[in-house]
Amino acid sequence: MIDLKNIAQDPASFLKEAYDKKQLAHSYLFVDTDEDQALSTAYWLACLYNCTGTNRPDGSCQNCQQILSGNFPDVLLVQTEGKQTLGIDQIRPLKEELAKSPVESSCRFFFIRQAERLTMPAANALLNLLEEPIAPVVSILITNNSDQILPTIRSRTQIINFENNDNNDSHKQILLNNGFSSEEIEELGDTDNIDQLVKYFYQEMLEFNNLSLISAHKIADYAKNNAMQNYVFFRLKRLAQKDLNNQSKMLLGTRMLKYLIEIDKMRFSNVNFRNSLDYLALQWKR
């Protein structure tokens, strides 16, 4: 079930104001490296719109409970379902679905997670839906990289960049607290690209996808200096630690941290960066 505590406060305040003024857009693009947070914020908006409680959204009324558990007929989620892409077969049926009038609400909510994985045919089909929504609908695309979204789609959405609400100093402080020097942080520069590569690599490992070894090599080619290589393993540990707090992924997080600790020992013994990533990808599949 989606956790309403895991929402981005500033975007939520912006959306609440738009809702109060009856100025919600019919389509949004949520951009956040933490797509779970962005998705929780999308569900929070659907709950806000449909909540029957006093302090909206309270998360406890029948409508909120149905929305958060995925059982509300007017809230639809499209995601990869373990595949590498979002194909036209997942988007095409939405045209008929979204033409229907709301069942229990006055508006339907439609979320696409990992929108950067839309194939070109799927993106073009989605473009038609965004241009001419037939029934009352709020469409929210969620991505960790807006550059991978077609410009024609971006132009038809209201973009909310969650990263703009993060304090860059706090990110720097987190790195300092985890052993990075100021010089190394300066050397890292913009980490958006490597963050995305690491996230894909991590997810592919969890899915036991053969592409994980290819992703390992992409990361090895990208991360040329020591600061970047240390950052890669730092990000992998952060993802694993996050899974430790998720009951359904706790065992996966524990296993991942075990391998990452082994890799720390290997790197201390001068095993190179590429071989360390290969070890992780191959060991995970066993």
Side-chain angles (χ1 to χ4, degrees), residues 194-245:
I194 193 63
D195 285 339
Q196 179 178 311
L197 289 173
V198 170
K199 185 173 182 179
Y200 284 165
F201 176 49
Y202 187 87
Q203 188 61 40
E204 286 161 357
M205 283 192 291
L206 294 192
E207 296 170 358
F208 295 92
N209 192 310
N210 291 331
L211 290 174
S212 62
L213 192 57
I214 296 174
S215 292
H217 292 171
K218 287 181 179 178
I219 292 172
D221 290 339
Y222 188 91
K224 296 296 188 182
N225 58 58
N226 286 334
M228 187 65 75
Q229 291 170 7
N230 291 336
Y231 181 77
V232 166
F233 288 113
F234 164 74
R235 288 297 301 157
L236 287 169
K237 289 174 185 174
R238 295 278 288 188
L239 290 169
Q241 288 164 353
K242 183 177 179 181
D243 280 347
L244 283 178
N245 296 322

Side-chain angles (χ1 to χ4, degrees), residues 86-258:
L86 284 165
I88 192 169
D89 290 341
Q90 291 169 275
I91 300 300
R92 187 180 285 138
L94 291 173
K95 186 169 185 179
E96 179 180 346
E97 186 66 27
L98 294 179
K100 300 176 182 176
S101 297
V103 178
E104 296 187 18
S105 177
S106 59
C107 181
R108 307 194 85 188
F109 285 80
F110 159 42
F111 309 143
I112 294 185
R113 187 175 189 175
Q114 293 182 302
E116 71 277 1
R117 297 197 179 195
L118 285 162
T119 63
M120 186 63 71
N124 287 329
L126 176 63
L127 182 60
N128 293 332
L129 294 176
L130 295 177
E131 284 179 333
E132 298 178 2
I134 300 173
V137 61
V138 174
S139 300
I140 299 178
L141 283 65
I142 297 167
T143 184
N144 58 26
N145 188 345
S146 61
D147 290 338
Q148 293 184 354
I149 305 297
L150 281 181
T152 47
I153 288 182
R154 291 203 304 265
S155 68
R156 287 161 176 79
T157 62
Q158 183 168 344
I159 299 174
I160 299 181
N161 194 328
F162 285 50
E163 299 303 306
N164 287 343
N165 299 284
D166 290 340
N167 188 325
N168 290 331
D169 290 338
S170 69
H171 177 66
K172 180 178 180 179
Q173 190 60 51
I174 289 171
L175 293 178
L176 288 171
N177 291 344
N178 282 273
F180 288 83
S181 67
S182 297
E183 292 75 17
E184 287 174 322
I185 295 171
E186 185 72 23
E187 192 175 3
L188 285 174
D190 187 347
T191 61
D192 285 352
N193 288 337
I194 193 63
D195 285 339
Q196 179 178 311
L197 289 173
V198 170
K199 185 173 182 179
Y200 284 165
F201 176 49
Y202 187 87
Q203 188 61 40
E204 286 161 357
M205 283 192 291
L206 294 192
E207 296 170 358
F208 295 92
N209 192 310
N210 291 331
L211 290 174
S212 62
L213 192 57
I214 296 174
S215 292
H217 292 171
K218 287 181 179 178
I219 292 172
D221 290 339
Y222 188 91
K224 296 296 188 182
N225 58 58
N226 286 334
M228 187 65 75
Q229 291 170 7
N230 291 336
Y231 181 77
V232 166
F233 288 113
F234 164 74
R235 288 297 301 157
L236 287 169
K237 289 174 185 174
R238 295 278 288 188
L239 290 169
Q241 288 164 353
K242 183 177 179 181
D243 280 347
L244 283 178
N245 296 322
N246 184 327
Q247 189 170 1
S248 64
K249 294 183 177 181
M250 187 180 299
L251 292 178
L252 295 174
T254 301
R255 185 180 176 215
M256 185 67 72
L257 283 174
K258 173 187 173 184

Side-chain angles (χ1 to χ4, degrees), residues 47 50-54 57-67:
C47 286
N50 292 283
C51 183
T52 59
T54 303
D58 61 12
S60 60
C61 74
Q62 183 176 350
N63 283 355
C64 286
Q65 287 292 299
Q66 286 182 321
I67 290 169

